Amino acid sequence: MKIVCISDTHGMHRQVKVPDGDLLIHAGDCLGQGTLDDLEDLNDWLGSLPHRHKILIAGNHDWCFQDEPEEARILLTHAHYLQDSGLELEGLTFWGSPWTPVFFNWAFNLDRGQQLAERWARIPDNLDVLITHGPPAGILDTVPSGLGEQSVGCEELALAIESRQPRLHIFGHIHESYGQKQVGRCLHVNASTCTGSYKPLNLPVVLDL
């Protein structure tokens, strides 16, 4: 399966040239202001793309999925929406979750420690593709700081991935750490489309699985 990965388009999806593929994955922060109107435009755009399958999760900017979940799910007709849930497509198993550690009280934020561990405990074993909005601690999760770089990923997510070893982990959230890294069996992909300056310049990541 040819998988095309994007994340953190922040309402600028129409500026992104998305390659053809079998499956498009969007790992959250898909909206600008996070409104239902934003989602309606995103859904129209998704419907114009040729991919057989599309999967979307929410991110910390995607407020309507948190505050108006029923309305948001009804509006999203051109993608599978995953929120602590999974599906199987063409023999591959997927699981998606939007949660990230608390940062300025955005959507889908939880405290580090037990709250996040409880969410990650729901991730099944024998998983092919894990989609989260944020990175695990120590993997494509650094931001500039006064001391150089600071790791801001989720420790509990790192532990969950270490025990389950999915084949592929797609995420975004930390724009500055766009890229790929193989750790054991798992290929981690930070697919952030926007750069640290919120310009949609990073290319979609294309993989075969």
Side-chain angles (χ1 to χ4, degrees):
M1 180 184 286
K2 186 176 181 181
I3 302 176
V4 181
C5 309
I6 59 176
S7 185
D8 296 82
T9 51
H10 291 279
M12 293 175 277
H13 42 272
R14 295 186 185 277
Q15 299 179 45
V16 181
K17 185 173 183 180
V18 180
D20 289 347
D22 303 307
L23 167 64
L24 175 67
I25 294 176
H26 196 308
D29 277 1
C30 53
L31 307 179
Q33 300 301 314
T35 66
L36 291 173
D37 285 344
D38 288 346
L39 179 57
E40 186 172 10
D41 179 67
L42 176 77
N43 187 62
D44 288 344
W45 176 74
L46 288 170
S48 74
L49 298 177
H51 309 74
R52 269 198 317 280
H53 309 290
K54 292 139 190 170
I55 295 175
L56 176 75
I57 69 167
N60 56 293
H61 286 260
D62 301 329
W63 285 101
C64 62
F65 285 105
Q66 176 175 287
D67 297 342
E68 301 167 279
E70 292 184 13
E71 295 90 336
R73 288 169 185 258
I74 290 169
L75 268 179
L76 185 66
T77 59
H78 293 300
H80 299 283
Y81 176 68
L82 299 183
Q83 183 176 321
D84 296 320
S85 59
L87 80 164
E88 181 176 325
L89 293 173
E90 299 187 18
L92 295 175
T93 53
F94 299 82
W95 184 268
S97 184
W99 305 97
T100 49
V102 168
F103 180 74
F104 289 122
N105 197 32
W106 288 97
F108 296 107
N109 276 194
L110 290 173
D111 289 331
R112 292 179 184 272
Q114 187 62 31
Q115 285 191 351
L116 282 164
E118 288 173 358
R119 294 291 176 173
W120 307 137
R122 304 180 189 186
I123 300 171
D125 296 325
N126 304 314
L127 184 67
D128 291 306
V129 182
L130 174 64
I131 310 159
T132 63
H133 180 53
I139 300 175
L140 304 172
D141 71 331
T142 57
V143 295
S145 74
L147 301 175
E149 289 188 336
Q150 179 183 3
S151 173
V152 295
C154 179
E155 295 86 353
E156 291 75 24
L157 178 57
L159 291 172
I161 291 171
E162 185 178 358
S163 67
R164 290 162 178 79
Q165 286 292 306
R167 295 169 63 187
L168 182 61
H169 178 210
I170 309 297
F171 55 93
H173 190 44
I174 306 303
H175 301 184
E176 298 87 347
S177 287
Y178 167 82
Q180 303 180 36
K181 185 175 183 178
Q182 186 81 38
V183 181
R185 178 176 183 260
C186 184
L187 175 63
H188 296 267
V189 177
N190 182 328
S192 294
T193 301
C194 279
T195 64
S197 56
Y198 282 79
K199 305 288 187 184
L201 300 178
N202 292 331
L203 295 176
V205 177
V206 182
L207 306 162
D208 286 304
L209 197 64

